[in-house]
Amino acid sequence: MGQRGGHRLGRGLGTLALAALAAVGCSSSPPPAAPPPTDPAGPVIAFADAQLAATADSLAPPAYPVRTNPDGTWLTEGPDDWTAGFLPAALWRVFERTRDPVWRDRAERWQSPLTPETSHDDTDLGFKMFMTFAVDHQLTGDEAAKQTALAAADTLAARFDPTVGMIRVWDDRDDTTQYQVNVDAMMNLELLWWAAQNGRPQYADIARRHADRTITDLVRPDGSTTMFGGYDQNTGALQRLYTEQGARDDSTWARGQAWAVYGFATAYRYTRDPRYLDTARRTADWFVTHLPPDRVPYWDFSVPQAPPEPRDTSAAAITASALLELSQLDPGRAGDVDAARGMLASLSSPAYLARDTPFRSILLHGTQNLPDGQQDSGIMFGDYYFVEALNRWERQVGPATQIAG
Ligand code: GLY
């Protein structure tokens, strides 16, 4: 993209986002000077649908869109990439909202080549196989999709080690010299909790043990998170805390924090265990109170909170969607809807929306992995969570136009 996050903020934040900032009580932002915006989120949903349709119909599996190239086209990977499920997952969310069979056809066309991934020994199977096949089953009742998701749950559960009490990520299952677990892996647990309700009751305990140790080791007392724990597989002892995608071992990587909020909200939805609700609240509060004035985080909360550090719009989209879920799970909790509104309004503004740009993504300014040079691009999973959050808004709060405040 050649430009770093937030470069368009000065001219980009219109009344839509400013109204939202006022709504979340951001003291550093000016009060809205104008009446309610004329650019509500209704057209944003139409834009998102159009971008997804163009992506789905101009590319073909097995070239799955991951993030945008500098010219705005999609960089693609094969079905084995952990992100491969996000396009079909987003297509299912449009089908969920519209019930238009055209979207079901698109989703199935992109989902079908992922079927062999059931045996891919990779913990990010939760992302790839729950949000596709399990959601397909939830939306359509398709029995074959259910069986595919259950087979993926079997593969994921096989990576659980009872001595560590967690599911290992990334590394070779047979490597006993290291055992790595990241906070991201909370996102894989929904596959297990769902499987537990669909014929694999034994997986609930695996998910619970993993979540419990994530709280103990990766969630700090103040509600921030560390990305990785490294364990001794022979004793189960925690050896070190570190990062792979954040700025420092002791920093708070923005998307890791977002995964924690979303992961523990989901854990509470399935279990109603108050510890998970408490952890979702603490991590959400930490995220929201550390946001910059325009409500879209920089890629890591511990770097200077100013350009040229890039933003990560995906972290905002993930957290906005999770906050909407939390607002339903914990209706007594004030502020979640307003906090989600603030993030969604900012993401819907010209500063972050790809409208009127050559970018094929819905959102701009995501950072997939800065230490690997993947920064400031559209990201398919950021788009997915934005679409999911807009759906949740419409289902729970009202017309998306209300995002404007
Ligand atoms: N491993 C998921 C992520 O990069 O956020």
Side-chain angles (χ1 to χ4, degrees):
M1 188 174 289
Q3 291 170 303
R4 289 191 147 191
H7 69 286
R8 297 168 65 193
L9 290 180
R11 67 179 172 79
L13 273 180
T15 51
L16 177 126
L18 289 175
L21 297 184
V24 296
C26 175
S27 58
S28 61
S29 61
T38 55
D39 182 21
V44 171
I45 288 181
F47 169 71
D49 288 359
Q51 290 293 87
L52 286 175
T55 293
D57 297 347
S58 63
L59 297 177
Y64 286 85
V66 179
R67 61 184 175 278
T68 53
N69 294 307
D71 67 358
T73 58
W74 285 111
L75 179 150
T76 63
E77 296 283 357
D80 57 334
D81 194 79
W82 74 274
T83 66
F86 286 107
L87 176 59
L91 300 171
W92 279 123
R93 290 299 169 208
V94 184
F95 173 73
E96 176 185 44
R97 174 164 46 77
T98 64
R99 295 289 160 175
D100 181 341
V102 167
W103 290 98
R104 177 180 179 163
D105 292 347
R106 284 191 177 112
E108 286 175 345
R109 186 168 75 92
W110 280 92
Q111 174 177 282
S112 178
L114 299 180
T115 305
E117 291 296 302
T118 46
S119 57
H120 188 168
D121 186 16
D122 179 327
T123 55
D124 284 331
L125 274 182
F127 286 110
K128 190 158 37 182
M129 306 304 269
F130 179 81
M131 294 157 59
T132 49
F133 294 94
V135 169
D136 175 358
H137 174 67
Q138 289 174 337
L139 293 176
T140 71
D142 187 291
E143 184 58 27
K146 176 181 173 182
Q147 294 308 321
T148 300
L150 286 173
D154 294 340
T155 301
L156 178 63
R159 289 181 68 91
F160 178 76
D161 181 275
T163 304
V164 179
M166 299 181 101
I167 301 163
R168 73 190 299 163
V169 303
W170 292 358
D171 47 333
D172 184 339
R173 194 197 301 187
D174 299 326
D175 180 358
T176 56
T177 64
Q178 56 180 339
Y179 198 99
Q180 305 182 68
V181 184
N182 56 15
V183 69
D184 322 20
M186 280 300 301
M187 296 295 289
N188 288 307
L189 300 186
E190 185 165 15
L191 180 61
L192 298 183
W193 270 307
W194 169 84
Q197 294 177 344
N198 286 276
R200 306 281 199 277
Q202 67 276 25
Y203 292 165
D205 188 55
I206 292 176
R208 180 178 290 276
R209 288 190 63 189
H210 183 105
D212 289 351
R213 192 151 193 192
T214 300
I215 296 174
T216 304
D217 293 348
L218 301 185
V219 181
R220 302 183 186 115
D222 69 354
S224 65
T225 53
T226 199
M227 185 181 181
F228 261 103
Y231 297 88
D232 179 338
Q233 190 171 348
N234 298 309
T235 66
L238 174 68
Q239 294 176 311
R240 65 186 180 121
L241 296 172
Y242 63 103
T243 195
E244 293 280 350
Q245 287 167 245
R248 299 192 312 264
D249 288 346
D250 63 352
S251 74
T252 301
W253 175 48
R255 200 166 57 256
Q257 190 72 18
W259 292 142
V261 180
Y262 197 115
F264 283 104
T266 304
Y268 180 66
R269 167 158 46 91
Y270 279 88
T271 63
R272 301 291 158 167
D273 184 328
R275 289 171 306 151
Y276 300 153
L277 180 60
D278 173 68
T279 308
R281 280 180 177 146
R282 290 193 298 120
T283 52
D285 288 346
W286 196 95
F287 189 102
V288 170
T289 57
H290 287 79
L291 285 173
D294 76 354
R295 325 311 286 159
V296 175
Y298 290 87
W299 68 285
D300 189 297
F301 284 102
S302 309
V303 301
Q305 300 292 286
E309 296 293 344
R311 307 282 184 149
D312 183 10
T313 48
S314 76
I318 294 160
T319 306
S321 189
L323 285 170
L324 289 172
E325 164 125 70
L326 264 181
S327 74
Q328 285 226 308
L329 296 171
D330 188 16
R333 187 181 140 97
D336 286 337
V337 172
D338 279 344
R341 184 206 310 268
M343 285 186 261
L344 292 176
S346 196
L347 293 174
S348 301
S349 77
Y352 295 112
L353 200 68
R355 185 158 48 198
D356 301 326
T357 79
F359 282 77
R360 308 284 166 86
S361 54
I362 300 168
L363 297 176
L364 305 169
H365 303 308
T367 292
Q368 185 170 354
N369 187 341
L370 186 136
D372 256 8
Q374 300 161 6
Q375 65 188 72
D376 201 10
S377 69
I379 304 180
M380 191 64 236
F381 56 79
D383 288 359
Y384 169 79
Y385 287 101
F386 185 59
V387 167
E388 182 188 89
L390 292 176
N391 271 18
R392 284 181 171 175
W393 183 279
E394 290 222 317
R395 207 165 49 234
Q396 298 172 207
V397 185
T401 51
Q402 293 175 5
I403 289 172

